[in-house]
Amino acid sequence: QVQLVESGGGLVQAGGSLRLSCAASGRTFSSYAMGWFRQAPGKEREFVAAISWSGGSTYYADSVKGRFTISRDNAKNTVYLQMNSLKPEDTAVFYCAARFGYATSRGDEYNYWGQGTQVTVSS
C-alpha cells in the first residue's frame, strides 16, 4: 500500500515556474522508483520524468528536457518536479506515480498513482 498526494499546481504565465511535490505514505518510499505524468484535455496521458530509487538516474521526455528537473528526498518521503520556462503546451493535470523496480516511461508499469494537480500556463 502506497498513498501519493500531489500539490503545487496552479496558474502561471508563459515563461514562469512551478514546483510540484508528491508526498508518499504507507510503505518504504526509498524502495520505489517514481515518475511524473501529465494529461491534457482530449489527449492521452504522457510521460514527463522519472527517477530511480536512489536518485542516481533520471529520465525526461524530450518535450521537457532542459526545462524540468525531477528530484527526491527520501528522508521526507517526497518527490519533486521543478518546472521552469513553462509553455502553454504544458497545461495539463500532472500525476505522480510509484513502482517497485526500475524507473520507466511506461505508465502501465507503475503500481500507485496520486489524484493529480492542475497546471495551467497562460499566454
Side-chain angles (χ1 to χ4, degrees):
Q1 296 181 339
V2 174
Q3 294 81 46
L4 305 173
V5 180
E6 302 97 331
S7 62
L11 173 64
V12 298
Q13 288 188 303
S17 298
L18 282 175
R19 184 182 185 236
L20 305 184
S21 299
C22 177
S25 63
R27 292 185 64 86
T28 303
F29 177 74
S30 61
S31 298
Y32 292 84
M34 302 292 297
W36 285 97
F37 296 78
R38 66 187 181 187
Q39 186 168 23
K43 302 183 70 175
E44 294 185 351
R45 182 181 61 194
E46 66 175 350
F47 168 75
V48 176
I51 188 167
S52 64
W53 66 269
S54 67
S57 299
T58 58
Y59 308 91
Y60 298 94
D62 288 342
S63 60
V64 307
K65 198 171 299 181
R67 300 189 297 124
F68 292 9
T69 302
I70 188 171
S71 62
R72 67 191 299 162
D73 185 341
N74 289 344
K76 296 182 178 180
N77 290 346
T78 302
V79 63
Y80 305 94
L81 185 68
Q82 178 66 47
M83 305 186 294
N84 299 326
S85 301
L86 283 163
K87 305 174 181 179
E89 305 90 83
D90 295 318
T91 295
V93 177
F94 281 69
Y95 300 90
C96 68
R99 74 181 299 266
F100 188 75
Y102 291 94
T104 176
S105 63
R106 291 178 56 89
D108 59 2
E109 294 186 359
Y110 285 81
N111 306 113
Y112 306 99
W113 293 83
Q115 84 290 344
T117 185
Q118 177 71 49
V119 172
T120 302
V121 184
S122 65
S123 58

